[in-house]
Amino acid sequence: MNAKGKNSIKESKTKMTASTLMRLAGLSAMLAGLCMVIMGLFHPVNIPEAVTTTTWVNVHIAATAMSFFGLFGMAGLYARQAEKSGWLGLTGFALMSLWFGIVMPFSFMEAFILPRLATVLPEFVAGFLGMFTGVPSEIDLGILPTLWNLSGPMFILGPLLFGIATFRAGVLPRWAGGLLAFGALLIPVGAMVPAEYQPEVALLTIALALTWLGYALFSERRERSSEVVPGKVSSQLSQTEAK
């Protein structure tokens, strides 16, 4: 087989790998959105009595999974439209990724550590939950309150900028990007409603938009001729040379 045939096979494998990674990233974004739906629908009120319930644990396991899948999903969503989304898309991608990165350890603690400390160190649990409800903590939580306070603006600006950039780029569904930006604008409204309804207001619209974008990336049909033809050409070349 000559060098041209080898290069064709290598190029085909590279393109197939990139396509597979994009599909996996789309699937990850879908899973992140679905996990966010679970959070929005079933998140208990942030009170110490709820920490030991099964619902609390399951919801925060879903939140941990959301952050994990969200990081990979956002990378794919941004890479797919990086050339057209510009600095606005890059900024939104960076902020949303940082938000997922901050939420992951918090959710892990809420799922696996707080329930074990509920009866042993109730002051720590109350202080930890106070970060979300605005109640001052009686113990020193170190850098945790600062990180959580930073995550709030990230969760507003990240989806807002990334949604606008997606709408302008027109690579992925425009209305999914618009829905993402609209969901970001609803987040401050969530602070004005009773605590039991805040997750629904703040999360469900963004969750739907993220799931929509992930599905679009996962199901996107790519030009297969550029991936399959080189392989066929190289196969024909090898058969010709064998003769």
Side-chain angles (χ1 to χ4, degrees):
M1 184 183 297
N2 57 21
K4 184 178 180 181
K6 292 180 179 179
N7 290 336
S8 298
I9 293 177
K10 183 177 181 181
E11 181 181 358
S12 176
K13 289 182 177 179
T14 301
K15 289 181 178 179
M16 290 177 65
T17 301
S19 176
T20 301
L21 286 174
M22 282 295 181
R23 287 175 60 83
L24 289 175
L27 179 61
S28 291
M30 290 172 59
L31 292 173
L34 293 175
C35 289
M36 194 178 290
V37 169
I38 294 174
M39 291 176 59
L41 292 177
F42 302 107
H43 196 295
V45 180
N46 289 306
I47 56 176
E49 292 78 8
V51 170
T52 56
T53 63
T54 302
T55 301
W56 177 278
V57 174
N58 291 336
V59 163
H60 289 94
I61 289 175
T64 306
M66 173 204 70
S67 302
F68 175 80
F69 290 122
L71 287 171
F72 184 37
M74 285 303 303
L77 293 175
Y78 172 69
R80 180 66 184 88
Q81 54 184 341
E83 294 182 1
K84 295 188 177 181
S85 61
W87 67 267
L88 203 64
L90 176 61
T91 305
F93 159 70
L95 290 174
M96 285 193 71
S97 298
L98 283 173
W99 182 79
F100 281 125
I102 291 176
V103 168
M104 187 185 300
F106 276 87
S107 300
F108 184 88
M109 290 183 64
E110 290 174 279
F112 300 104
I113 297 178
L114 289 192
R116 298 176 180 274
L117 298 180
T119 56
V120 180
L121 293 173
E123 298 84 2
F124 177 85
V125 173
F128 193 94
L129 297 179
M131 291 188 295
F132 314 135
T133 59
V135 178
S137 174
E138 298 180 358
I139 62 174
D140 184 11
L141 296 174
I143 196 174
L144 293 180
T146 301
L147 288 176
W148 186 254
N149 289 334
L150 289 174
S151 72
M154 291 178 186
F155 191 45
I156 297 174
L157 293 176
L160 178 63
L161 298 181
F162 194 79
I164 294 174
T166 299
F167 185 86
R168 293 175 57 186
V171 177
L172 296 170
R174 289 180 180 271
W175 291 113
L179 187 64
L180 185 65
F182 177 71
L185 296 177
L186 287 179
I187 294 175
V189 178
M192 304 177 185
V193 301
E196 58 268 24
Y197 300 114
Q198 289 179 3
E200 288 91 335
V201 176
L203 295 177
L204 289 182
T205 305
I206 291 180
L208 178 59
L210 188 59
T211 305
W212 186 356
L213 289 170
Y215 176 76
L217 185 62
F218 175 77
S219 61
E220 192 175 40
R221 298 193 177 200
R222 305 186 182 280
E223 291 293 334
R224 297 194 177 275
S225 58
S226 62
E227 298 177 4
V228 177
V229 171
K232 291 183 177 180
V233 171
S234 62
S235 177
Q236 292 173 356
L237 287 173
S238 63
Q239 291 177 2
T240 302
E241 290 176 0
K243 294 180 180 179

